[in-house]
């Protein structure tokens, strides 16, 4: 059997709520899935393998014969990236390693060859569209990686139905989730070298998770939280910002280490705040933690005039904001309590957008990847 039903998959983005920079030193960070999602459709094709990424105006197509020649060099393992095979994919596409535009194509070919090994090269057409801003620290690459991993696994399970104990369409068992997460992590390694695993885990499983010293732990949340995300549209260099904090820590350890420990304390206090029975007390606590966290991050030198402006604008309407991610630009976030009047939220958005910022209202802690046959 070489035919399969059309598949639709989606995966969420992610946001760091608390713990930026402290997490680099083995302390606690808190991350959550976002309502902004990447969506992918896979349908059978008569003769080719076609990928279409309209968001970046990219389309490629190959015959099965072309890919079979490439895939004969694929590795027998998928826990690590095979550098030699990756080089062959670059040569096949005639692109160098610095071509970020083709990165998604490279990940597709690598995952396709590994996941579809049992059934060979199957003609198909893939179309990917996303609500997630690219390169903004919201896990856009991880959401794509999870879509590719789950979608191709879905094709495999249709074609190999008689030999599959756990089927991705009938049960999202722990085993299925682990497989999708591992393939997505492989894709993230292709893209980023040595990623933490936070992004692909959040996009696979969804929800809110704490992260400390390499360990991810699910966080129970009975409240449906919403945030306002604000894109400063200012480019930031994560590596430079991490290095800046490291230099400060080395020069002034007696000052910087307590700051990082205080950020860790904010993360742990947020994790314990879920036990508060009073809604008013809970939202006041989280609002306070957001303000404290931003002040501490600013003292580390990782804020930016645009981020400061966003936080000040939010404060004028009674909302609290903080940077999310590395800082130096990028995104800020603000909690949207259920009691916040709509006119106040609208006023904040109008003021921010008038200054050239881009706003998104979204839920956090949403479900992870979804998959269904059409």
């Amino acid at each position: 059997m070489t035919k399969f039903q059309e598949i639709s998959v989606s995966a969420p983005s992610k946001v760091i709520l608390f713990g930026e920079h402290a997490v680099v030193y083995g302390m606690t960070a808190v991350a959550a899935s976002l309502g902004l999602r990447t969506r992918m459709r896979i349908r059978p094709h008569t003769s080719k393998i076609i990928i279409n990424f309209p968001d970046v105006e990219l389309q490629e197509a190959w015959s099965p014969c072309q890919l079979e020649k490439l895939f004969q060099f694929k590795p027998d393992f998928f826990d690590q990236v095979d550098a030699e095979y990756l080089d062959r994919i670059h040569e096949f596409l005639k692109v160098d390693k610095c071509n970020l535009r083709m990165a998604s194509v490279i990940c597709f070919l690598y995952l396709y060859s590994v996941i579809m090994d049992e059934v060979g090269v199957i003609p198909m057409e893939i179309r990917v569209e996303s609500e997630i801003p690219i390169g903004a620290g919201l896990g856009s690459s991880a959401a794509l990686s999870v879509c590719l991993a789950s979608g191709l696994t879905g094709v495999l399970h249709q074609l190999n139905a008689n030999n599959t104990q756990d089927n991705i369409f009938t049960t999202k068992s722990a085993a299925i989730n682990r497989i999708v997460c591992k393939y997505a992590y492989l894709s993230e390694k292709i893209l980023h070298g040595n990623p933490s695993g936070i992004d692909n885990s959040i996009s696979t499983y969804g929800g809110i998770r704490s992260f400390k010293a390499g360990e991810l732990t699910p966080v129970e949340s009975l409240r449906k939280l919403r945030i306002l995300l604000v894109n400063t549209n200012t480019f930031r260099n994560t590596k430079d910002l991490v290095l800046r904090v490291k230099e400060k820590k080395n020069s002034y350890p007696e000052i910087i280490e307590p700051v990082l420990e205080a950020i860790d304390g904010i993360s742990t206090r947020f994790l314990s705040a879920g036990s508060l029975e009073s809604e008013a007390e809970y939202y006041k606590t989280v609002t306070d933690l957001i303000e404290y966290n931003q002040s501490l991050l600013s003292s580390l030198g990782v804020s930016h005039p645009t981020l400061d402006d966003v936080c000040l604008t939010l404060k004028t309407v009674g909302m609290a904001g903080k940077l999310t991610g590395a800082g130096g630009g990028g995104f800020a976030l603000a909690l949207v309590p259920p009691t916040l009047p709509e006119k106040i939220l609208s006023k904040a958005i109008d003021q921010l957008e008038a200054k050239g910022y881009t706003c998104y209202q979204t839920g956090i802690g949403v479900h992870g990847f979804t998959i269904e046959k059409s």
Side-chain angles (χ1 to χ4, degrees), residues 67-89 106-118 183 186 190:
L67 293 189
E68 284 167 0
K69 290 179 180 178
L70 171 65
F71 292 169
Q72 66 180 317
F73 301 104
K74 67 173 179 56
D76 295 325
F77 55 88
F78 65 90
D79 55 331
Q80 296 294 332
V81 176
D82 186 317
E84 185 177 336
Y85 182 52
L86 194 58
D87 287 343
R88 288 187 180 274
I89 294 176
I106 292 164
C107 290
F108 165 74
L109 289 174
Y110 201 113
L111 290 187
Y112 187 107
S113 65
V114 175
I115 295 173
M116 302 293 289
D117 179 42
E118 293 180 44
Y183 281 131
L186 176 65
I190 294 170

Side-chain angles (χ1 to χ4, degrees), residues 8-317:
S8 297
V9 298
S10 78
S13 49
K14 77 93 179 59
V15 65
I16 302 295
L17 297 177
F18 299 103
E20 294 91 344
H21 291 283
V23 70
V24 176
Y25 300 96
M27 300 181 192
T28 308
V30 183
S33 54
L34 283 175
L36 304 176
R37 302 181 78 87
T38 291
R39 293 178 170 82
M40 184 177 80
R41 298 182 75 85
I42 307 179
R43 63 183 182 184
H45 193 270
T46 55
S47 60
K48 291 186 177 182
I49 296 87
I50 301 172
I51 57 170
N52 189 1
F53 298 90
D55 293 341
V56 292
E57 300 179 346
L58 179 61
Q59 181 171 312
E60 296 285 337
W62 310 277
S63 68
C65 183
Q66 286 177 291
L67 293 189
E68 284 167 0
K69 290 179 180 178
L70 171 65
F71 292 169
Q72 66 180 317
F73 301 104
K74 67 173 179 56
D76 295 325
F77 55 88
F78 65 90
D79 55 331
Q80 296 294 332
V81 176
D82 186 317
E84 185 177 336
Y85 182 52
L86 194 58
D87 287 343
R88 288 187 180 274
I89 294 176
H90 282 106
E91 291 170 8
F92 173 79
L93 294 172
K94 296 181 173 60
V95 297
D96 60 42
K97 296 179 181 179
C98 298
N99 192 326
L100 296 178
R101 186 168 177 269
M102 292 293 286
S104 54
V105 180
I106 292 164
C107 290
F108 165 74
L109 289 174
Y110 201 113
L111 290 187
Y112 187 107
S113 65
V114 175
I115 295 173
M116 302 293 289
D117 179 42
E118 293 180 44
V119 294
V121 179
I122 306 297
M124 64 178 66
E125 183 175 359
I126 291 181
R127 182 181 179 89
V128 179
E129 295 178 288
S130 185
E131 303 163 345
I132 309 168
I134 296 173
L138 297 182
S140 59
S141 67
L144 170 63
S145 296
V146 171
C147 281
L148 290 173
S150 58
L152 291 170
T153 299
V155 174
L156 175 66
H157 283 190
Q158 287 192 65
L159 299 178
N160 207 18
N162 293 335
N163 299 322
T164 304
Q165 290 182 336
D166 283 338
N167 189 292
I168 197 169
F169 299 103
T170 57
T171 174
K172 282 181 67 176
S173 66
I176 291 288
N177 284 332
R178 279 196 301 271
I179 289 171
V180 169
C181 197
K182 284 186 71 173
Y183 281 131
Y185 189 40
L186 176 65
S187 178
E188 286 286 274
K189 287 180 180 178
I190 294 170
L191 292 167
H192 303 299
N194 187 31
S196 67
I198 294 177
D199 289 16
N200 55 284
S201 296
I202 291 291
S203 193
T204 299
Y205 295 97
I208 300 175
R209 293 187 172 241
S210 64
F211 181 81
K212 183 174 184 177
E215 293 293 325
L216 274 166
T217 305
V219 176
E220 291 288 336
S221 179
L222 301 178
R223 296 174 172 87
K224 291 186 177 180
L225 300 177
R226 291 191 59 80
I227 61 171
L228 177 67
L229 272 175
V230 185
N231 190 351
T232 64
N233 298 307
T234 301
F235 174 78
R236 83 280 185 277
N237 187 308
T238 298
K239 288 183 180 179
D240 287 350
L241 290 157
V242 171
L243 181 60
R244 183 185 304 175
V245 174
K246 182 180 179 180
E247 290 173 344
K248 287 178 180 289
K249 181 175 179 291
N250 289 340
S251 298
Y252 306 101
E254 70 279 10
I255 298 171
I256 302 303
E257 287 177 7
V259 173
L260 296 172
E261 289 169 2
I263 292 174
D264 179 70
I266 287 171
S267 297
T268 56
R269 182 61 183 270
F270 171 78
L271 295 174
S272 66
S275 62
L276 294 172
E277 295 183 3
S278 166
E279 290 286 295
E281 187 179 358
Y282 173 79
Y283 285 104
K284 182 184 183 304
T285 298
V286 177
T287 298
D288 288 344
L289 294 176
I290 288 173
E291 289 188 330
Y292 294 148
N293 204 167
Q294 175 59 22
S295 296
L296 291 167
L297 290 166
S298 184
S299 75
L300 292 176
V302 296
S303 192
H304 186 273
T306 55
L307 289 166
D308 295 339
D309 183 47
V310 168
C311 293
L312 182 60
T313 302
L314 289 166
K315 194 168 186 176
T316 61
V317 298

